[in-house]
Short mmCIF file of all heavy atoms in Angstrom, two decimals:
data_model
loop_
_atom_site.label_atom_id
_atom_site.label_comp_id
_atom_site.label_asym_id
_atom_site.label_seq_id
_atom_site.Cartn_x
_atom_site.Cartn_y
_atom_site.Cartn_z
N LYS U 7 87.20 107.25 81.29
CA LYS U 7 88.63 107.67 81.57
C LYS U 7 89.45 106.51 81.07
O LYS U 7 89.20 105.31 81.27
CB LYS U 7 88.87 107.82 83.07
CG LYS U 7 90.23 108.07 83.43
CD LYS U 7 91.02 106.85 83.94
CE LYS U 7 92.44 106.95 84.09
NZ LYS U 7 93.06 105.82 84.71
N GLY U 10 97.02 105.01 81.10
CA GLY U 10 98.25 105.18 80.28
C GLY U 10 98.51 104.12 79.24
O GLY U 10 98.78 104.41 78.04
N SER U 41 94.93 109.74 80.47
CA SER U 41 96.15 109.81 81.18
C SER U 41 97.22 110.09 80.12
O SER U 41 96.97 110.00 78.89
CB SER U 41 96.53 108.52 81.84
OG SER U 41 95.67 108.18 82.88
N ALA U 42 98.43 110.36 80.59
CA ALA U 42 99.57 110.43 79.75
C ALA U 42 99.83 109.06 79.22
O ALA U 42 99.49 108.00 79.76
CB ALA U 42 100.80 110.90 80.49
N THR U 47 104.80 109.83 82.53
CA THR U 47 104.94 110.59 83.87
C THR U 47 106.24 110.21 84.56
O THR U 47 106.92 111.09 85.07
CB THR U 47 103.65 110.36 84.66
OG1 THR U 47 102.52 110.62 83.88
CG2 THR U 47 103.63 111.36 85.87
N GLU U 74 99.77 114.65 79.91
CA GLU U 74 98.32 114.55 79.53
C GLU U 74 97.90 115.49 78.42
O GLU U 74 96.93 115.27 77.71
CB GLU U 74 97.49 114.78 80.80
CG GLU U 74 97.17 113.47 81.63
CD GLU U 74 98.40 113.00 82.41
OE1 GLU U 74 99.45 113.65 82.47
OE2 GLU U 74 98.28 111.92 83.07
N PHE U 136 94.56 114.23 85.78
CA PHE U 136 95.70 114.35 86.72
C PHE U 136 96.13 115.80 86.95
O PHE U 136 97.08 116.10 87.66
CB PHE U 136 96.85 113.58 86.05
CG PHE U 136 98.22 113.57 86.72
CD1 PHE U 136 98.37 113.15 88.07
CD2 PHE U 136 99.29 113.97 85.98
CE1 PHE U 136 99.68 113.20 88.61
CE2 PHE U 136 100.64 113.95 86.57
CZ PHE U 136 100.80 113.55 87.87
N GLY U 149 98.49 114.03 92.28
CA GLY U 149 99.10 112.76 92.81
C GLY U 149 99.02 111.61 91.80
O GLY U 149 98.09 111.56 90.90
N ARG U 150 99.93 110.64 91.91
CA ARG U 150 99.97 109.57 90.93
C ARG U 150 98.73 108.81 90.91
O ARG U 150 98.04 108.57 91.84
CB ARG U 150 101.20 108.64 91.33
CG ARG U 150 102.53 109.28 91.31
CD ARG U 150 102.88 110.00 90.06
NE ARG U 150 102.85 109.26 88.83
CZ ARG U 150 103.89 108.52 88.30
NH1 ARG U 150 105.00 108.44 88.95
NH2 ARG U 150 103.76 107.89 87.20
N GLY U 151 98.35 108.50 89.66
CA GLY U 151 97.09 107.79 89.47
C GLY U 151 95.88 108.79 89.48
O GLY U 151 94.70 108.37 89.46
N GLY U 152 96.18 110.07 89.45
CA GLY U 152 95.13 111.10 89.65
C GLY U 152 94.15 111.26 88.49
O GLY U 152 93.12 111.94 88.68
N SER U 153 94.39 110.64 87.28
CA SER U 153 93.37 110.77 86.30
C SER U 153 92.05 110.09 86.64
O SER U 153 91.03 110.58 86.14
CB SER U 153 93.89 110.16 85.00
OG SER U 153 95.12 110.82 84.59
N ASP U 154 92.14 109.07 87.45
CA ASP U 154 90.90 108.39 87.95
C ASP U 154 89.97 109.42 88.70
O ASP U 154 88.86 109.53 88.46
CB ASP U 154 91.21 107.31 88.94
CG ASP U 154 92.05 106.20 88.37
OD1 ASP U 154 91.89 105.94 87.20
OD2 ASP U 154 92.75 105.48 89.09
N1 LIG I 2 99.86 110.06 84.34
C1 LIG I 2 99.63 110.16 85.80
C2 LIG I 2 100.42 108.98 86.48
O1 LIG I 2 101.10 108.30 85.87
C3 LIG I 2 98.21 110.06 86.21
C4 LIG I 2 97.48 108.81 85.84
O2 LIG I 2 97.93 108.00 84.99
O3 LIG I 2 96.44 108.63 86.38
O4 LIG I 2 100.43 108.98 87.68
#
Side-chain angles (χ1 to χ4, degrees):
K7 176 259 168 177
S41 294
T47 310
E74 272 73 7
F136 177 57
R150 299 308 303 271
S153 299
D154 297 333

